[in-house]
Amino acid sequence: MTVQVTGRSLLALPPLSLYVHIPWCVRKCPYCDFNSHEFVAGTLEHAQGSPAGERHLPEADYVDQLERDLRSQLPWVQGRKFGSIFFGGGTPSLFSPLAIGRILDLAESLVGFADDIEITLEANPGTFEQAKFAGYRHAGVNRLSIGVQSFDPLQLQNLGRIHSGPEALTAATQARTAGFDNINIDLMHGLPGQGEVEALQDLAQAVDLGAEHISWYQLTIEPNTAFYSAPPVTPGSEQIAAIQKAGRAYLAEQGYDRYEVSAYSRAGLASRHNLNYWSFADYLGIGAGAHGKVTLPQTRRILRTQRTRAPKHYLALGCETGAGGVEFPQPKLQEVVQDERPLEFLMNALRLEAGVPAESFEQYTGLPLDTLRREWRRLEAMELVRPLGPTVGTTRFGYDYIDEILQRYLAES
C-alpha cells in the first residue's frame, strides 16, 4: 500500500514499557507457538554443591545477559521511565525471586520507574511456583498472571498442562496470601469436547476466586506445534460463537469490562502493559527472542527490534572488550516505513473496544489523520467502523470482525 501524505505531522515520543522474556518451560504445551524451550542438557547448569543429577537453569548467566541487553538499548530510552514491565515466557516463575528482584533493580537504576508502575509476572499454578509468590511480591512484582487455562482435570490433560485442578485453585489463594491484589487468570475456550456449560464453569471459578482480570481466549491450532501435527477435535464455528456470546454476557453480569478482544477486567484494572502495546506505544524487549518497538522522533523513524530466539545463542551473545567488559550487539532492526504505519497502528488500536484517541494516530505514526480517510469511509459504509472523530475504533458490530476489517483495509489501500 502507498500512503498519500498531504501534510507533515509531528512524530511524538510515546510512553515506554519493558518486556523481559524467560524462555524455559518444564514441558512444551502442545498448543504453544511461543518462544519457549524445554529443559535440555545444553541449557542447564549444575549448581555448585548440588546433588548429582539435579539440574538448574542458568539464571545468573541469563540475568547477566539481560543486563547487557538492557544497557545496549539505553539510547532508545530518550529520557523516559518505564510505565510497566512484563515478565513473559516460557515460565518466568521458574526463576527465583532473587533473580527477578535483580532484574527489577537493574531496570530501576538504569532507566527509572513511573510512580504507578505496573509489574507483571507470568506464573504457573504448580506447587513449586506457588512457594515463591511471596518472594516475587517482595521483589517488586505487583501483578501476577496465572496460566490456568482450565480448571477441568480432563481439559488440563488434553492441553498437556502439568498442574492439577486443585493446584490451580490453590494458586490464587496463595497469591492473595502473598500480598497480590491484582491477579490475572488465563483461560482458554473452544477446547476438545467443551460446550457452553463447561466453558462457563471455568469462568465462574475464576470469578469466584476474585480475579481482577481474566484473559479468555480461543484455542487456535498454530503451525509448528504438536497440535498442528495431530490436531484435536474442537467445537465447530457455531458452537464457538455460542460459547463466546454466553461467556461475554456472563462476565458482563459479573462486573467485568471487555476492553480488548480477549481481555476482561474489573473497573480501572485493565492491564496497563497490554494497553501500551495496543496503543502503538514503545517497549524495549530483552531476552531470547524478545521483540521491541522504539520511536526516534529526531530522525522520524520507528523501529521493530528482535533478539535471537535460541537460549544458547542468546547466552553466547557479546564479546569481551580490552577493558574487561562485554560488547553486546544491537538486536535485529526492521524499520516500520511510512507506508506500513497506518496498518500497523490499526492492527493494534482496533483490538481495543473503546478505540484510541485520534490524535494518537498522528502522534505515533507521524502521519495526518487524513491518511486513513479514503479506506475508512468504505469500512464506515459497511458499519464496521465509527466515523473518524475524537477516536479511531470499530462499531459494536464491527468489533467481532476485526480480522476482516484489516483484510479489507489492506485490500483497498
Side-chain angles (χ1 to χ4, degrees):
M1 107 187 209
T2 301
V3 174
Q4 300 296 326
V5 180
T6 57
R8 188 175 178 86
S9 298
L10 174 70
L11 184 60
L13 196 61
L16 182 67
S17 293
L18 175 67
Y19 175 75
V20 184
H21 192 72
I22 310 295
W24 290 284
C25 284
V26 175
R27 181 195 298 167
K28 181 83 168 180
C29 295
Y31 57 84
C32 179
D33 69 336
F34 294 126
N35 182 37
S36 59
H37 303 262
E38 290 186 1
F39 297 167
V40 293
T43 63
L44 298 170
E45 66 180 8
H46 293 279
Q48 185 175 8
S50 64
E54 184 176 337
R55 303 188 303 171
H56 290 260
L57 286 168
E59 69 173 32
D61 290 341
Y62 194 77
V63 173
D64 286 344
Q65 288 293 76
L66 290 174
E67 178 181 358
R68 294 172 186 131
D69 199 346
L70 181 56
R71 287 185 182 277
S72 75
Q73 299 185 47
L74 289 180
W76 294 330
V77 172
Q78 302 170 93
R80 294 170 289 182
K81 294 183 178 181
F82 289 133
S84 66
I85 297 176
F86 194 97
F87 290 88
T91 307
S93 54
L94 292 177
F95 269 32
S96 68
L98 184 64
I100 299 300
R102 182 182 163 203
I103 296 165
L104 292 176
D105 288 346
L106 287 167
E108 185 171 24
S109 64
L110 292 175
V111 177
F113 290 173
D115 291 340
D116 60 347
I117 188 169
E118 173 193 273
I119 301 174
T120 304
L121 183 133
E122 290 184 334
N124 266 356
T127 303
F128 172 72
E129 285 88 347
Q130 291 176 33
K132 296 183 281 188
F133 285 176
Y136 296 137
R137 187 69 190 89
H138 181 73
V141 176
N142 56 25
R143 183 174 182 270
L144 208 61
S145 181
I146 305 175
V148 173
Q149 314 312 344
S150 177
F151 294 96
D152 184 333
L154 177 60
Q155 295 296 357
L156 290 173
Q157 182 178 352
N158 289 337
L159 294 172
R161 304 295 290 173
I162 61 173
H163 65 269
S164 66
E167 283 179 322
L169 295 173
T170 303
T173 302
Q174 292 287 354
R176 295 289 182 209
T177 302
F180 285 97
D181 57 8
N182 193 356
I183 297 172
N184 170 63
I185 291 181
D186 272 346
L187 292 172
M188 302 176 78
H189 66 271
L191 306 179
Q194 187 183 59
E196 289 180 44
V197 171
E198 293 80 11
L200 290 178
Q201 285 174 342
D202 272 345
L203 289 176
Q205 187 66 77
V207 171
D208 288 346
L209 289 169
E212 284 75 21
H213 190 286
I214 298 175
S215 298
W216 190 53
Y217 50 97
Q218 181 184 343
L219 170 65
T220 55
I221 309 302
E222 303 287 354
N224 302 315
T225 65
F227 273 179
Y228 189 78
S229 301
V233 179
T234 55
S237 57
E238 290 186 4
Q239 182 67 28
I240 291 291
I243 289 172
Q244 292 174 339
K245 182 178 180 180
R248 290 166 188 165
Y250 171 75
L251 288 170
E253 291 170 0
Q254 300 300 317
Y256 290 84
D257 298 323
R258 184 191 184 199
Y259 69 94
E260 189 268 342
V261 173
S262 57
Y264 303 76
S265 74
R266 298 291 190 189
L269 291 171
S271 166
R272 276 181 276 162
H273 190 82
N274 288 339
L275 287 173
N276 194 66
Y277 284 155
W278 298 321
S279 300
F280 204 57
D282 281 1
Y283 55 100
L284 302 185
I286 61 174
H291 292 253
K293 170 191 170 282
V294 292
T295 301
L296 306 175
Q298 290 187 336
T299 56
R300 299 184 60 80
R301 300 178 73 199
I302 299 174
L303 303 176
R304 295 283 187 189
T305 71
Q306 183 180 5
R307 281 293 181 199
T308 184
R309 289 174 57 87
K312 66 178 180 180
H313 295 155
Y314 181 79
L315 286 165
L317 286 176
C319 58
E320 292 186 7
T321 64
V326 175
E327 182 179 351
F328 209 73
Q330 276 195 334
K332 179 181 178 182
L333 303 178
Q334 180 178 3
E335 184 166 0
V336 183
V337 297
Q338 183 172 270
D339 285 358
E340 297 171 350
R341 291 178 191 176
L343 185 61
E344 285 255 358
F345 180 91
L346 294 176
M347 286 175 64
N348 291 277
L350 294 186
R351 293 184 63 88
L352 294 172
E353 186 162 308
V356 296
E359 63 184 13
S360 69
F361 175 83
E362 298 192 350
Q363 292 172 344
Y364 296 169
T365 67
L367 301 171
L369 191 61
D370 280 344
T371 304
L372 294 176
R373 287 196 187 277
R374 182 170 63 89
E375 292 78 13
W376 198 262
R377 284 174 181 151
R378 293 173 180 161
L379 296 171
E380 186 183 335
M382 292 181 280
E383 300 182 347
L384 294 172
V385 297
R386 303 194 292 268
L388 283 179
T391 60
V392 175
T394 67
T395 60
R396 185 173 295 276
F397 167 73
Y399 194 57
D400 291 331
Y401 299 94
I402 291 174
D403 289 341
E404 289 83 349
I405 291 173
L406 295 173
Q407 289 169 6
R408 284 181 181 271
Y409 184 89
L410 184 60
E412 295 173 1
S413 299

